[in-house]
Amino acid sequence: MASRMALRLNDVTLCLSPPIATRRCRRRAGSVRVFAVASTPSTVSTKVEDKKPFAPPREVHVQVTHSMPPQKIEIFKSLDDWARDNLLTHLKPVEKCWQPQDFLPDPASEGFHDEVKELRERAKEIPDDYLVCLVGDMITEEALPTYQTMLNTLDGVRDETGASPTAWAVWTRAWTAEENRHGDLLNKYLYLTGRVDMRQIEKTIQYLIGSGMDPRTENNPYLGFIYTSFQERATFISHGNTARHAKDYGDLKLAQICGIIASDEKRHETAYTKIVEKLFEIDPDGTVVALADMMKKKISMPAHLMFDGQDDKLFDHFSMVAQRLGVYTARDYADILEFLVNRWKVADLTGLSGEGNKAQDYLCTLASRIRKLDERAQSRAKKAGTMPFSWVYGREVQL
């Protein structure tokens, strides 16, 4: 799923904002709220041995579970036939899908070593800051087990058995299978370049999968499918921009790789936005309120708990590089929001409740406010220094 960056703009945080580090539990309307605890920023240690091996490098938000009223679960059960007819059509048969090997040197070929040598020669022209973005994208894709797990927390659509025949479960498994090719391809390509520290990258992947993610979707498929709609478009944009940069650096094969991944993400975006479009048709009031709720909490990117064993703020630093290069920016975030608001015709909704009208007003003006904050952030970003990245053997990269 997407280059998925933390973008901090004044008091608006477009990713993860740490809560206070206390442990408490509150019950409200049948939901449980729990603060998961890690170190506060002032007490974070850079010594790996001081950290719990599978704890996030920072605090996660209040945990809310099963926030969707039970009666609405029936909506999704009733939509199983609709999902079969309208969702599964966006999957490709395995035999018609591209595979990572289609874009990599053939190890069975006599010309394998020459192909690898050619690949490595092209990669010599790629600067470190671009490699940081490409590695961050790859690591995000490699944390796919977490994303499938998240989808299977959603009430009414989860794969209850691991091989459930419902359309929702079939979609989740097949979507995961298609996405799995992305990390495989980028991982192998980066390995062959010889330009990056694969052991540090592999550690980062293990830390990230162990830490999980904190999307704040509350087991609620309204929130979950809004989140995935946003993320798939973000990933489409990010991989498309990395393709453009690769072409500028003369690596046409890498540009092709990033472009083919972007096309998958675009197809998946279409599927997820179609689900939310259907929810707007069935339950416009509940859906617009859910969309506003998700945007008020900010869309946290799937890899926001990234850690390499050294840098507690690795995701923030990676995001700053991506923002500077234009791989994924705060403006992209605003553009995605505006695209979805228009795609789902939020401004045209009528007959809403008081809460629904407030949500509608909030959503229709939010993108312009984010853009104004982005303009202020740009001037501050120019003053950022450099940061060593373990992914490129500790070399300094401009933030």
Side-chain angles (χ1 to χ4, degrees):
M1 291 169 72
S3 186
R4 295 121 162 165
M5 319 305 153
L7 303 172
R8 301 186 183 283
L9 304 178
N10 286 355
D11 60 337
V12 174
T13 304
L14 304 188
C15 184
L16 182 69
S17 53
I20 58 174
T22 58
R23 185 181 298 274
R24 53 183 140 147
C25 176
R26 282 181 277 166
R27 295 188 177 274
R28 189 188 69 176
S31 298
V32 178
R33 288 179 168 249
V34 180
F35 275 112
V37 179
S39 302
T40 60
S42 62
T43 61
V44 166
S45 169
T46 57
K47 294 181 180 179
V48 177
E49 60 267 24
D50 291 343
K51 293 180 176 295
K52 294 181 179 179
F54 302 109
R58 61 183 74 185
E59 301 86 356
V60 297
H61 288 98
V62 172
Q63 300 290 287
V64 180
T65 60
H66 306 291
S67 64
M68 185 173 69
Q71 63 269 24
K72 290 199 174 184
I73 292 178
E74 297 305 317
I75 290 177
F76 290 90
K77 291 182 178 179
S78 71
L79 286 175
D80 195 67
D81 288 342
W82 176 89
R84 194 172 304 281
D85 295 338
N86 294 276
L87 192 57
L88 301 188
T89 56
H90 293 286
L91 296 168
K92 283 189 175 181
V94 174
E95 297 302 326
K96 293 185 178 180
C97 281
W98 61 266
Q99 297 300 332
Q101 187 53 55
D102 298 337
F103 301 93
L104 297 167
D106 182 0
S109 167
E110 290 185 2
F112 174 69
H113 294 290
D114 291 335
E115 292 179 46
V116 172
K117 184 178 180 180
E118 180 185 348
L119 183 156
R120 291 166 73 93
E121 285 297 317
R122 291 196 309 269
K124 286 181 180 179
E125 302 302 319
I126 299 175
D128 282 343
D129 51 4
Y130 177 84
L131 286 175
V132 164
C133 291
L134 191 61
V135 168
D137 279 356
M138 181 267 278
I139 288 169
T140 302
E141 296 285 355
E142 289 280 55
L144 186 61
T146 298
Y147 315 144
Q148 184 177 25
T149 298
M150 188 279 282
L151 287 172
N152 278 329
T153 70
L154 301 179
D155 293 331
V157 297
R158 68 172 60 90
D159 186 347
E160 297 285 1
T161 67
S164 170
T166 69
W168 296 113
V170 170
W171 165 262
T172 296
R173 293 195 302 269
W175 170 85
T176 302
E178 289 193 352
E179 289 277 334
N180 187 63
R181 299 167 305 147
H182 302 171
D184 281 354
L185 177 53
L186 291 173
N187 192 313
K188 290 173 183 174
Y189 194 87
L190 282 163
Y191 168 81
L192 291 173
T193 68
R195 292 288 312 281
V196 296
D197 187 335
M198 287 305 300
R199 193 171 196 282
Q200 280 299 122
I201 291 169
E202 289 157 359
K203 280 172 57 179
T204 308
I205 295 168
Q206 186 174 358
Y207 271 116
L208 179 57
I209 295 174
S211 294
M213 64 185 293
D214 179 30
R216 307 176 78 187
T217 48
E218 305 175 7
N219 309 104
N220 185 329
Y222 283 78
L223 301 178
F225 291 134
I226 288 166
Y227 179 87
T228 52
S229 296
F230 194 104
Q231 282 303 329
E232 292 290 356
R233 186 160 184 84
T235 310
F236 160 67
I237 291 169
S238 176
H239 284 298
N241 285 333
T242 55
R244 176 174 54 82
H245 282 301
K247 185 177 180 181
D248 291 342
Y249 298 133
D251 194 336
L252 299 183
K253 177 61 71 173
L254 181 56
Q256 184 185 19
I257 286 171
C258 296
I260 199 72
I261 292 173
S263 69
D264 268 4
E265 304 292 2
K266 180 63 176 174
R267 180 163 46 86
H268 296 160
E269 172 210 324
T270 300
Y272 283 119
T273 56
K274 187 180 286 188
I275 296 172
V276 180
E277 184 177 47
K278 185 65 174 178
L279 293 177
F280 268 110
E281 176 188 323
I282 295 171
D283 181 14
D285 202 74
T287 308
V288 75
V289 169
L291 177 57
D293 178 42
M294 205 70 239
M295 297 312 304
K296 286 175 182 176
K297 291 186 291 194
K298 318 302 183 293
I299 298 291
S300 62
M301 303 302 156
H304 62 252
L305 299 178
M306 185 185 286
F307 179 58
D308 61 351
Q310 299 177 17
D311 184 359
D312 286 328
K313 296 184 178 180
L314 177 60
F315 186 78
D316 294 346
H317 297 145
F318 155 57
S319 300
M320 292 171 73
V321 177
Q323 168 87 12
R324 180 177 60 80
L325 289 186
V327 169
Y328 184 76
T329 69
R331 182 162 288 275
D332 291 324
Y333 185 100
D335 289 347
I336 293 169
L337 170 61
E338 188 172 69
F339 172 85
L340 293 176
V341 166
N342 291 334
R343 170 79 170 78
W344 294 325
K345 298 180 173 61
V346 173
D348 299 336
L349 297 175
T350 58
L352 299 175
S353 66
E355 186 181 11
N357 281 317
K358 288 180 181 178
Q360 182 185 45
D361 292 342
Y362 168 76
L363 291 165
C364 290
T365 59
L366 182 57
S368 61
R369 283 185 282 147
I370 292 173
R371 290 193 183 100
K372 289 178 182 177
L373 290 168
D374 174 45
E375 292 171 5
R376 299 177 203 166
Q378 290 300 324
S379 60
R380 292 197 304 276
K382 294 177 183 178
K383 301 175 184 178
T386 61
M387 189 74 193
F389 279 85
S390 68
W391 303 337
V392 289
Y393 297 97
R395 294 190 293 267
E396 295 278 338
V397 174
Q398 180 70 43
L399 298 178

